Amino acid sequence: MSAPSGKISVSVGQKCAFIKIEGRANFNSSVDFKILLDELLNKGYSLFVLDVTHCVLMDSTFLGVLAGFGLKINAAQADNVSRTIELFNPNARIAELLENLGVLHLFKVVNGEVVCPEKTEPADVTTTNASRETVTRTCLEAHQTLMDINPDNVSRFKDVAQFLAEDLKKMKSGD
């Protein structure tokens, strides 16, 4: 599990969080990405601008974390809390993956110049040296999310989810 990770940077304003994702967004960067999104949401940000112009690939774990966040944002809207995720300039491969996984509807896709409606300042991204157990748990949750969102994903990910669940169980039992 040592594939190179993408680079994630963030700038924040009063209501807008601008997140730039570059390179390969994979399971290695998923834990830090999930923590970042949860922290920003807990701080009350309502507009999430994700610039994926230079993101060459998102693996299923990263996509599952992103989709899970999309669900949270959309659930908040059902509670009359206005929040938005704008996904700027996804390449054809990423857009196709989002569509095929049945999660594209969770995001407002925008192509063109990346715009954040307010001035933002760079902020720190917490980077963790996540344990194998944390990475495995994040991978499992991400794949379960993708299967929960779209029943067509069950056939794609059930074996992966089963393997991850068994691996996690082994880690917890100390085998």
Side-chain angles (χ1 to χ4, degrees):
M1 284 193 178
S2 63
S5 293
K7 180 182 176 199
I8 299 172
S9 57
V10 65
S11 295
V12 295
Q14 287 188 299
K15 298 286 183 193
C16 178
F18 175 78
I19 303 166
K20 189 172 192 172
I21 304 165
E22 300 176 284
R24 296 175 175 266
N26 61 23
F27 67 92
N28 282 323
S29 54
S30 294
V31 173
D32 291 340
F33 185 59
K34 186 175 191 282
I35 290 168
L36 172 66
L37 293 174
D38 288 342
E39 286 176 355
L40 294 169
L41 189 61
N42 289 336
K43 289 180 180 177
Y45 290 96
S46 57
L47 174 60
F48 298 85
V49 175
L50 279 65
D51 178 5
V52 295
T53 304
H54 300 289
C55 181
V56 295
L57 151 75
M58 288 185 185
D59 74 4
S60 55
T61 298
F62 197 91
L63 287 164
V65 169
L66 182 60
F69 187 68
L71 284 176
K72 282 183 188 178
I73 294 298
N74 286 304
Q77 288 183 0
D79 296 334
N80 293 322
V81 176
S82 179
R83 292 196 172 114
T84 306
I85 304 174
E86 295 179 351
L87 197 60
F88 274 85
N89 303 317
N91 65 33
R93 185 175 180 186
I94 291 171
E96 185 178 333
L97 281 170
L98 292 167
E99 179 69 34
N100 289 340
L101 293 173
V103 299
L104 188 61
H105 68 281
L106 299 172
F107 313 101
K108 178 182 175 186
V109 176
V110 182
N111 288 300
E113 184 181 348
V114 181
V115 178
C116 195
E118 63 184 28
K119 184 175 173 16
T120 60
E121 296 291 330
D124 290 331
V125 176
T126 304
T127 54
T128 60
N129 192 6
S131 68
R132 182 169 168 245
E133 183 177 337
T134 300
V135 172
T136 302
R137 185 179 313 102
T138 301
C139 289
L140 177 59
E141 290 170 0
H143 287 89
Q144 287 172 329
T145 297
L146 291 171
M147 291 187 296
D148 290 346
I149 291 172
N150 183 357
D152 291 342
N153 291 333
V154 173
S155 62
R156 292 178 179 128
F157 299 124
K158 69 179 177 186
D159 292 339
V160 172
Q162 182 179 348
F163 171 80
L164 292 166
E166 289 171 5
D167 197 32
L168 195 56
K169 194 174 189 179
K170 285 178 191 174
M171 281 184 245
K172 287 183 177 181
S173 69
D175 289 345

